Amino acid sequence: MRIRIVGAGAMGRGIAQWAASAGHTVELGDVRAEAVTDAVEFVVSMLDRAVAKGRMSVADRDSSVARLVPLADPWAAGPDVELVIEAVREDLETKAEVFGKLERALPSSAVFATNTSSLSVTRIAATLQDPSRLAGLHFFNPVPLMRIVEVVPGAATRPEIPAALTELVEGCGHRAVTVADTPGFLVNHAGRGLVTEALALLEESVAGPAEIDRIARDVLGLRMGPFELMDLTGLDVTAAVIDSIWQGFRYEDRLRPSYLTPNRVVAGLHGRKTGQGWYAYGEGAGAPAPEPAVAGMGDRPVFLAASGSAEIASYVEALAGALEAAGVRVERGDGPSAEALVLVPVWGTTVSGAIRAGGLPPERTVGVEVLPAAGRRRVLAVTAATGPAAARDARAVLARAAGDDEPYAVTVVRDTAGSVAQRLLSSIVAVGASIAERLLATPADIDLAVTTGLGYPAGPLAWGERIGAPRLLELQRALHATTGDPRHRPTRWVTERADLGLALTEAGTSVDDCWG
């Protein structure tokens, strides 16, 4: 196929490298001639690096370079061009001008694709004489390494175009997901679950950025915590995406932005690119502050206040066994002794609520996370009434591990509905489920896009299925009832599947399935 790419910046040159390496002839054009020259040199250097690392033969490198065709004029006639991929700046007028010129220069048979990440594909297409020829083809940076592409049909896109673009993408070694033309498309939309809830936790002073990041990594198993991720992406970019998606979905509570970001953006606290974000970077920044040392009495007796589901009862037994194996005296019976620490496992509710309901001693009762940790970390939640000495002792007790001499890391947070990890996970799953219930993408495509595009250990629906729809519904209902915040309300997708015994990853029967 002969492909013309207009826009020779980071995205354009990445797409050019990807397509040329896959055997396609690539015309590369830009209004700035020097940008084309720089892009070709960059692509050649990337191919040379691939040869040096043994990922490409010299012959394949040479043939790929030969398929790169620099254009002096991006609007030049191209009777053999079958596909145009636009990769210019995110501005509707600019993109409309580009496609207007291409429409006059290229045959009507050429398919147009926009790499927009935030603009409506339908609005861009509406500026054309023939809106039916345009669709979205959203790549992620760096294109050769981010092996996922969103195929986004506009309202007027011809039905055969998305299938043809999917075939092209997958023929070039990437995965393609088809998603509706809605704010954020799929990957950016799904990614709001993590960062918006992390910012909400910070707003409420439940924990600081470093503590939330540690929990996200060591309990949930994410490669990067949400604040590390915002610093990498740039808070200016992240905040704009959050606002755009929230406004685009008409102020959906689940996507609600934080009041914390506007001032930080204005102050230039964007992250790595400005040297200061949620963390400091560059010369003189120093290493992140270490976790406080464990300084309590690790030999105090412990009473585990078990109540609720079978899953929590199972967790309590497992924790009791681990503590006893480490030499901790675990009390059994109806209530704690006068010296015992009281550990409360919660699921969507608060430690303070458990203290009230169970008549527990508030000054020595703390919460513990019940989600299985991906790493060696436990999470301790303290209330406003927790005695500081009891909190230190509880941290020392929880740091003790069974079977070896290596202690667990223990993060201390403020009491909140559920826990930090439960709220983050519930939000991730809820946003993914809301995408599914709106039929914006299939369950399989949602999970594929999130694991490939965001690097999560599981897609939101598959992750929720690990917990199970009934238990996840219990968590979401408890979060909603405890906080009263509509951002936590259960999704129809989770509720229906819990009622019917269906997996969260199942699309189920549609109305269309009932015809013919």
Side-chain angles (χ1 to χ4, degrees):
M1 177 181 287
R2 193 174 189 90
I3 301 171
R4 178 174 297 186
I5 298 170
V6 178
M11 294 304 299
R13 67 193 186 188
I15 298 168
Q17 177 185 338
W18 167 79
S21 298
H24 298 286
T25 300
V26 178
E27 299 179 353
L28 185 57
D30 195 287
V31 292
R32 297 183 302 113
E34 64 274 17
V36 176
T37 301
D38 291 345
V40 171
E41 291 177 354
F42 176 84
V43 171
V44 171
S45 70
M46 291 296 100
L47 297 176
D48 288 341
R49 181 181 298 181
V51 171
K53 292 185 176 182
R55 297 198 300 261
M56 175 180 276
S57 69
V58 173
D60 286 344
R61 176 265 186 207
D62 291 344
S63 59
S64 297
V65 172
R67 286 190 290 268
L68 284 173
V69 182
L71 295 179
D73 178 9
W75 330 118
D80 298 327
V81 172
E82 299 172 74
L83 171 67
V84 176
I85 302 175
E86 164 271 312
V88 302
R89 67 189 183 95
E90 285 289 272
D91 176 76
L92 181 62
E93 291 185 5
T94 301
K95 292 181 185 293
E97 180 183 359
V98 165
F99 282 119
K101 292 179 178 179
L102 290 168
E103 202 169 24
R104 292 189 290 272
L106 299 178
S108 59
S109 59
V111 172
F112 289 172
T114 173
N115 184 52
T116 184
S117 60
S118 61
L119 299 175
S120 164
V121 172
T122 300
R123 290 189 65 189
I124 297 170
T127 66
L128 297 175
Q129 293 180 11
D130 179 10
S132 71
R133 71 193 297 188
L134 184 139
L137 199 59
H138 181 212
F139 294 82
F140 295 85
N141 191 35
V143 175
L145 299 181
M146 296 294 288
R147 303 174 72 85
I148 188 76
V149 183
E150 294 176 325
V151 177
V152 189
T157 303
R158 293 197 299 269
E160 69 272 14
I161 288 178
L165 292 176
T166 296
E167 184 179 357
L168 167 71
V169 168
E170 298 193 339
C172 293
H174 277 28
R175 302 295 298 273
V177 292
T178 301
V179 58
D181 183 19
T182 52
F185 304 142
L186 177 48
V187 173
N188 281 330
H189 184 175
R192 296 319 92 200
L194 175 65
V195 294
T196 54
E197 194 62 32
L199 288 165
L201 288 161
L202 184 61
E203 277 187 10
E204 298 166 27
S205 299
V206 173
E211 288 73 33
I212 295 172
D213 281 349
R214 287 171 182 140
I215 292 169
R217 291 192 309 266
D218 295 344
V219 177
L220 297 182
L222 294 167
R223 295 177 188 172
M224 299 181 72
F227 294 96
E228 294 172 308
L229 181 61
M230 284 186 269
D231 273 0
L232 178 64
T233 304
L235 187 62
D236 53 334
V237 175
T238 298
V241 171
I242 291 173
D243 288 348
S244 173
I245 293 174
W246 179 61
Q247 292 162 5
F249 280 100
R250 295 298 184 262
Y251 312 106
E252 161 65 53
D253 287 301
R254 212 181 306 281
L255 303 170
R256 188 171 67 236
S258 169
Y259 71 81
L260 295 173
T261 56
N263 281 351
R264 297 184 69 88
V265 171
V266 170
L269 303 176
H270 299 171
R272 291 178 181 270
K273 62 187 176 184
T274 60
Q276 180 68 53
W278 302 107
Y279 304 98
Y281 302 91
E283 288 187 25
E291 295 186 68
V294 174
M297 296 172 57
D299 56 355
R300 281 187 66 169
V302 167
F303 176 81
L304 288 165
S307 63
S309 66
E311 288 84 3
I312 287 184
S314 175
Y315 167 82
V316 166
E317 285 303 312
L319 179 58
L323 291 174
E324 286 177 330
V328 176
R329 179 159 61 90
V330 178
E331 295 183 351
R332 312 280 178 171
D334 295 332
S337 66
E339 61 175 334
L341 297 168
V342 181
L343 304 186
V344 177
V346 295
W347 187 249
T349 55
T350 59
V351 179
S352 60
I355 290 171
R356 175 183 52 79
L360 301 172
E363 71 282 355
R364 51 194 172 94
T365 298
V366 296
V368 288
E369 175 59 75
V370 301
L371 281 173
R376 296 180 66 84
R377 182 171 300 278
R378 290 176 171 143
V379 183
L380 167 71
V382 299
T383 72
T386 304
R392 290 191 292 270
D393 291 347
R395 185 164 177 253
V397 166
L398 286 174
R400 296 174 69 167
D404 55 43
D405 296 328
E406 182 185 353
Y408 278 87
V410 181
T411 296
V412 181
V413 301
R414 280 182 61 185
D415 183 25
T416 184
S419 67
V420 170
Q422 289 169 28
R423 282 180 55 173
L424 291 176
L425 181 55
S426 176
S427 182
I428 290 169
V429 177
V431 172
S434 70
I435 294 171
E437 71 185 19
R438 289 183 170 107
L439 303 181
L440 305 183
T442 67
D445 278 357
I446 293 168
D447 282 347
L448 172 64
V450 168
T451 53
T452 309
L454 298 177
Y456 289 6
L461 303 179
W463 209 341
E465 187 57 27
R466 291 180 182 177
I467 296 173
R471 190 167 180 233
L472 186 65
L473 179 60
E474 178 190 355
L475 172 61
Q476 293 182 340
R477 282 177 171 167
L479 289 172
H480 190 208
T482 304
T483 65
D485 190 336
R487 74 186 294 123
H488 296 301
R489 72 188 187 281
T491 60
R492 176 166 55 87
W493 188 269
V494 172
T495 303
E496 184 178 53
R497 276 146 186 79
D499 289 343
L500 299 174
L502 293 177
L504 293 172
T505 51
E506 288 186 46
T509 302
S510 70
V511 173
D512 291 341
D513 294 333
C514 302
W515 295 99

